Amino acid sequence: MYRIFEISYDLRTSPKPNNDALYAELKTFNGWYHVLDSMWFVCSDSNAVEVYNRICRHLKRTDYVWVNEVGDEYYGWLPKGAWKWLASARKQAKLLA
C-alpha cells in the first residue's frame, strides 16, 4: 500500500549537524518533498516503523525524530509547493490503493 509519511526531526549534534547522509536517504523514497528545515513528506509502501528504521542509522542517540502517516484530516500553514505536492501524492496513493 502506497502511504504518505511526515518526518520531523531535531538534530541535536553541535555545533551544526551534517544532514547530507540523512537527506540522501530521504531522497531514496518513492517520492519526497522537503517541506520545512526539519520536516519532510515521503511516500513509501512501508509502515512508520520501517520508515524510521531506514533513516535512524543516519541519526545520533541525542537526535529526536517523528514519523507519522498522513491521514485524511490535516490542517496547517505550509509553503504552496508543499500543498501541491501533497495533493498530487494523495491522488497517486488513491490510484494505487
Side-chain angles (χ1 to χ4, degrees), residues 7 38 54 57 64 66 75 79-80 82 89:
I7 301 172
S38 58
R54 280 184 59 180
R57 65 181 177 218
Y64 298 123
W66 173 261
Y75 189 81
K80 186 183 262 185

Side-chain angles (χ1 to χ4, degrees), residues 1-80:
M1 174 188 270
Y2 188 84
R3 299 172 169 177
I4 304 166
F5 293 92
E6 177 235 330
I7 301 172
S8 297
Y9 51 84
D10 183 9
L11 305 181
R12 301 168 54 81
T13 43
S14 63
K16 184 174 180 277
N18 182 348
N19 299 335
D20 294 344
L22 175 61
Y23 285 12
E25 182 67 36
L26 290 165
K27 291 177 180 180
T28 66
F29 282 89
N30 297 338
W32 58 270
Y33 189 85
H34 192 176
V35 183
L36 302 172
D37 286 343
S38 58
M39 179 184 166
W40 292 65
F41 289 139
V42 299
C43 297
S44 177
D45 56 358
S46 302
N47 63 38
V49 173
E50 293 167 331
V51 170
Y52 171 82
N53 286 336
R54 280 184 59 180
I55 64 172
C56 75
R57 65 181 177 218
H58 305 291
L59 303 171
K60 305 265 189 282
R61 288 182 175 250
T62 56
D63 296 337
Y64 298 123
V65 63
W66 173 261
V67 178
N68 181 62
E69 185 175 356
V70 176
D72 289 334
E73 188 171 337
Y74 48 86
Y75 189 81
W77 188 259
L78 297 173
K80 186 183 262 185

